[in-house]
């Protein structure tokens, strides 16, 4: 479920819920797929935010996150993450480079 605050509640196969936050969704004309990039606001050993990407499929009144296994999908998501980081840095920098 995605609400106004970009909060996503994901239920796993065992019925357990975990909260994530949507960073960006986008549609690729190249693959004709919709993607979502999201985080659980945890950091890795390098103190970098953990960011995840999935294929987003609308299913009835909810969404299904499909794991990315194709190299092309992985590259599209990586490019989007890099672009989002650049935009975030520019916002935090006041737009100057």
């Amino acid at each position: 479920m995605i609400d106004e605050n970009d909060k996503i509640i994901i239920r796993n196969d065992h019925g357990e819920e975990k909260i994530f936050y949507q960073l960006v969704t986008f549609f690729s004309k190249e693959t004709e797929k919709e993607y979502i990039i999201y985080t659980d606001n945890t950091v890795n050993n390098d103190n970098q935010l953990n960011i995840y990407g999935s294929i987003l499929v609308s299913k009835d009144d909810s969404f299904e996150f499909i794991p990315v296994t194709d190299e092309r999908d992985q590259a599209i998501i990586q490019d989007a993450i890099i672009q989002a980081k650049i935009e975030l840095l520019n916002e935090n920098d006041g737009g100057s480079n």
Side-chain angles (χ1 to χ4, degrees), residues 24-90:
V24 66
T25 60
F26 62 96
F27 180 81
S28 169
K29 291 181 185 177
E30 180 181 340
T31 62
E32 297 186 354
K33 296 177 187 175
E34 185 149 1
Y35 299 91
I36 183 166
I37 299 172
Y38 54 101
T39 182
D40 58 2
N41 280 339
T42 61
V43 294
N44 61 24
N45 291 338
D46 295 326
N47 207 31
Q48 298 289 315
L49 185 66
N50 287 315
I51 298 174
Y52 311 97
S54 296
I55 299 166
L56 186 62
V57 177
S58 180
K59 188 175 182 180
D60 300 323
D61 61 346
S62 64
F63 295 94
E64 185 174 351
F65 288 40
I66 306 298
V68 174
T69 57
D70 180 82
E71 287 183 24
R72 186 68 201 135
D73 290 328
Q74 290 172 350
I76 288 170
I77 288 175
Q78 286 297 335
D79 289 346
I81 290 171
I82 291 167
Q83 187 60 39
K85 286 181 179 180
I86 291 168
E87 289 175 14
L88 183 59
L89 288 172
N90 285 340

